Amino acid sequence: QINRDNVGKLELAWQYRTGAVAANPTVKSMIDFQATPTLLPAAAGAHLVICDPFGKVIALDPASGKERWSMDPKIDKTPYAGRFKCKGVAYWADSQAAAGSVCSHRLFLATADKRLIAMDARDGKRCAGFGVQGQVDVDVLLRSLVPADGTQLTQLVSPPTVVRDVVAVSSFSNKFKSSSSVNGAIRGFDARTGELRWSFDPLVRDAGTGLTPTPQQVGGANTWVPMSADSPRDLLFVPTAGPAPNYWGVHRPGNNNYANSIIALRGSTGEVVWHFQTLHHDVWDRDVGSTPILAEIDRDGRKVPSVVQTTKQGLVFMFNRETGEPLFPIEERPVPTDTDIQGEQLSPTQPFPVKPPVLVRNTISPDDAWGFTVFDKNACRKKIASMRHGSHYEPIMTTGTILFPQPGGGSNWGGGAYDPQRNLLITPVSQIPYYVKLLPRADVDPDYAKRPEAGAPMQPPGYLGDTPYGVKQGPLMSPSFTPCTAPPWNMLVAVDMVSGDIRWKIPFGRLDKLMPFPIPLNLGGPSAGGPIITAGGLIFIGATPDDRLHAYDVETGEELWQMRAPTSAMATPMTYELGGRQYVVFTAGGHSWYDAKGVDDHVLAYALPVK
């Protein structure tokens, strides 16, 4: 209904406020409202369901935005692991239950304090037969592998993923605060009873990889973004992060399988069907940080069931979903390994797909220095020259190393969207230079290192777990607080999945809210959140810290609609039809890093005017 000819007429149909920010002022700086709403079928109540950053599940009338019911899990709000967020819930219909029976339609919620909750999708009441009074304590399972205080650095932030009658749960852990981190296992629970069916440890622990069999020795490789499910094939697709800690891998020699990988698990058993590692022995914090995209891609006149994985490096990997066979060849190419970190053993090669090309610039030299003024440009040139710089995988050094693109992407957790009519992948990508410097622990202020922000981007150094080093890191910026390389610093890119070529790319995002002197030019700004593509030939996306919502022509990248929201909408939107009217819904809540002043709690639904 909404298409390229009429999208300019979109207006606000309704608005809802969760109240989460006003109710939790003491942790406002740690709140991220990044939920994508879920529309339930009529048999499950026909609610539009969202969750606030503290896991409160709210059912709305999808036509008016009025609240129908809510379920508050009352989580522990002690900010152990970092930020509070809930990206959504999972819906499941029990094919064995009698029609209309209690909990025959269920919602599953994974909470920040590590619980898995099952509730009746129609009224939000707990499913008494699931776990203990409707919930499973996942923290108990974590504590069985690590000391009790170690799990404080772990949260469940992504929606569970249902494969047939198994609900799979992943986790987030803070890989800076511990050189071992928490075991990043994926766990599959019985969707009816909550019984643990299986557990998959994404780090291979044997002599062949150099990892010891002791779980406490090294952890991480967790999955902190939503997984994808192909229930007819009984497949769960898992994108994994790097092992702990970021930037130092001396105690984990080898490639560290299955970290930094796309893994196809058998949903009913948790067994590995196939996997591919997108980066060997990660010391660059380049997790596979976006949801795998399941698509049917044209190949020689036939539709191939495929999985598409974007990465923080700006690479796109494409595989046959059933076999793991690449749709385009993948080459192991030499990369530098000369580092001054004692004992570090970097991989001599890294995988690169022949197609598509790298979506972002990925080399840097002093000649790439840029600034609005000569003063800025010269300052950036000196910064680049003073640190290790060059290719995609320059070793981390005590003199400092420039990562280009930054650890946040390339593509980050918003990932991409796929247009099956045009065989196009649409994804936002960033290309901002970033630096990481390891320094001896003796050079880190021990009093400041106790603070939670120590070692975070643009903060004074903090300890890198219990390694011999501290870490200082952040974007490489000019004195005028603009990136040290030429714009665009963020783009929206269209990739032809059949030919492997880039169809178009456009700058994406403005910096007028981030700079001391507002510049409304479309130079690209940091983004968080992804796009959707509709049958009307449109791309809808928020994602940037400039408060703008966008609709683009999927064939050309031309912007056809723009709206200023109350704050930035750093979450993936969704769309649905109800009563003959199409709605496009954004959650707008700012971002604790990119738009801290705009942290809020709006749900915004847009539609064409009623005739």
Side-chain angles (χ1 to χ4, degrees):
Q1 184 181 86
I2 302 170
N3 55 53
R4 286 173 283 190
D5 295 328
N6 61 24
V7 65
K9 299 177 182 179
L10 280 183
E11 62 182 19
L12 187 66
W14 56 259
Q15 179 175 358
Y16 175 82
R17 305 286 298 277
T18 70
V21 175
N24 297 276
T26 60
V27 292
K28 181 179 179 180
S29 63
M30 301 174 182
I31 292 175
D32 285 323
F33 188 27
Q34 297 175 343
T36 295
T38 299
L39 183 70
L40 302 182
H47 313 304
L48 184 69
V49 180
I50 61 169
C51 57
D52 77 7
F54 302 99
K56 182 179 180 180
V57 179
I58 304 165
L60 304 176
D61 182 318
S64 67
K66 293 182 179 179
E67 184 175 325
R68 289 177 172 175
W69 57 258
S70 66
M71 191 287 295
D72 190 347
K74 300 187 183 302
I75 67 167
D76 176 6
K77 296 177 182 177
T78 307
Y80 291 123
R83 295 172 287 173
F84 293 101
K85 61 183 71 178
C86 173
K87 289 190 170 74
V89 298
Y91 164 71
W92 178 68
D94 187 348
S95 60
Q96 299 180 12
S101 60
V102 173
C103 286
S104 57
H105 296 268
R106 300 188 180 196
L107 295 175
F108 294 103
L109 171 73
T111 68
D113 58 0
K114 299 173 284 293
R115 289 176 284 156
L116 174 62
I117 297 175
M119 69 200 83
D120 193 311
R122 288 166 295 193
D123 57 18
K125 294 180 180 179
R126 305 279 185 99
C127 296
F130 183 87
V132 178
Q133 295 301 309
Q135 72 176 29
V136 172
D137 187 353
V138 181
D139 195 37
V140 171
L141 301 174
L142 292 170
R143 291 199 303 269
S144 69
L145 298 175
V146 296
D149 58 350
T151 66
Q152 293 179 350
L153 300 179
T154 302
Q155 291 176 322
L156 310 184
V157 297
S158 286
T161 304
V162 182
V163 189
R164 296 188 177 178
D165 60 354
V166 170
V167 54
V169 174
S170 60
S171 64
F172 163 84
S173 57
N174 193 321
K175 295 185 295 177
F176 287 107
K177 300 300 182 182
S178 169
S179 61
S180 58
S181 190
V182 176
N183 183 298
I186 312 300
R187 295 176 174 86
F189 299 89
D190 189 295
R192 296 181 180 89
T193 68
E195 178 186 359
L196 180 65
R197 289 264 202 97
W198 53 260
S199 180
F200 171 74
D201 184 347
L203 273 177
V204 179
R205 301 170 192 276
D206 59 34
T209 62
L211 294 176
T212 74
T214 306
Q216 291 90 337
Q217 179 65 32
V218 60
N222 55 299
T223 295
W224 53 272
V225 293
M227 300 175 285
S228 297
D230 181 341
S231 285
R233 293 179 173 85
D234 193 21
L235 292 176
L236 176 70
F237 294 92
V238 180
T240 57
N246 295 328
Y247 310 136
W248 187 83
V250 174
H251 70 331
R252 48 177 172 86
N255 284 352
N256 307 146
N257 282 338
Y258 299 103
N260 303 91
S261 298
I262 170 70
I263 309 168
L265 298 181
R266 186 69 62 201
S268 54
T269 65
E271 296 173 301
V272 176
V273 178
W274 62 264
H275 93 286
F276 182 85
Q277 189 174 53
T278 64
L279 191 161
H280 310 314
H281 191 81
D282 184 14
V283 294
W284 300 275
D285 187 22
R286 287 188 167 145
D287 308 333
V288 181
S290 56
T291 300
I293 300 171
L294 306 187
E296 306 288 326
I297 296 179
D298 290 336
R299 275 293 180 273
D300 300 324
R302 64 187 182 94
K303 295 284 188 180
V304 177
S306 307
V307 57
V308 179
Q309 185 64 65
T310 60
T311 70
K312 289 185 177 183
Q313 301 96 291
L315 304 176
V316 180
F317 295 91
M318 304 162 57
F319 305 94
N320 183 302
R321 199 185 310 169
E322 297 174 328
T323 66
E325 179 184 0
L327 270 61
F328 288 108
I330 299 173
E331 299 176 344
E332 288 284 338
R333 299 176 185 171
V335 294
T337 60
D338 54 318
T339 176
D340 63 355
I341 303 301
Q342 187 174 0
E344 187 68 83
Q345 301 176 45
L346 300 175
S347 173
T349 64
Q350 294 291 352
F352 289 83
V354 172
K355 282 190 171 185
V358 183
L359 303 186
V360 293
R361 300 197 304 267
N362 65 325
T363 60
I364 188 170
S365 76
D367 292 338
D368 295 314
W370 184 90
F372 282 114
T373 67
V374 173
F375 176 69
D376 283 341
K377 184 175 181 178
N378 288 339
C380 286
R381 181 185 295 273
K382 291 179 181 178
K383 286 184 178 182
I384 296 172
S386 70
M387 288 183 270
R388 180 70 180 257
H389 60 268
S391 64
H392 220 136
Y393 296 109
E394 294 298 324
I396 302 298
M397 308 280 285
T398 58
T399 54
T401 299
I402 298 176
L403 307 186
F404 194 47
Q406 74 275 29
S411 290
N412 206 332
W413 66 262
Y418 179 72
D419 183 337
Q421 294 180 334
R422 301 168 181 85
N423 285 293
L424 288 180
L425 168 72
I426 308 296
T427 182
V429 292
S430 290
Q431 48 185 18
I432 297 174
Y434 194 91
Y435 76 93
V436 174
K437 183 177 183 180
L438 298 189
L439 58 160
R441 288 178 69 91
D443 294 345
V444 177
D445 182 342
D447 292 328
Y448 188 86
K450 298 175 183 177
R451 300 174 62 169
E453 68 270 22
M458 304 177 68
Q459 298 294 329
Y463 295 136
L464 188 60
D466 54 358
T467 75
Y469 296 97
V471 62
K472 183 174 176 57
Q473 60 178 319
L476 196 69
M477 308 294 276
S478 73
S480 297
F481 204 68
T482 56
C484 273
T485 52
W489 298 304
N490 202 59
M491 298 181 294
L492 199 62
V493 180
V495 185
D496 188 315
M497 294 280 93
V498 175
S499 68
D501 300 321
I502 294 178
R503 181 79 62 84
W504 53 258
K505 58 173 64 176
I506 58 170
F508 178 52
R510 294 165 173 80
L511 298 179
D512 44 3
K513 275 184 64 175
L514 298 182
M515 294 183 62
F517 307 100
I519 299 177
L521 298 177
N522 191 15
L523 303 178
S527 64
I532 59 172
I533 300 172
T534 73
L538 298 171
I539 304 163
F540 286 101
I541 187 170
T544 55
D546 54 21
D547 300 347
R548 292 171 173 88
L549 312 176
H550 312 267
Y552 297 96
D553 187 321
V554 70
E555 292 188 349
T556 66
E558 178 187 0
E559 186 176 60
L560 302 176
W561 173 77
Q562 182 189 119
M563 182 70 68
R564 293 298 289 264
T567 189
S568 53
M570 294 197 165
T572 301
M574 60 89 71
T575 187
Y576 57 89
E577 181 270 336
L578 186 72
R581 195 179 191 199
Q582 182 181 354
Y583 297 81
V584 181
V585 183
F586 296 83
T587 52
H591 192 282
S592 58
W593 287 1
Y594 302 140
D595 186 15
K597 292 182 180 179
V599 168
D600 217 321
D601 54 11
H602 300 267
V603 183
L604 308 167
Y606 294 87
L608 295 174
V610 176
K611 293 184 179 180

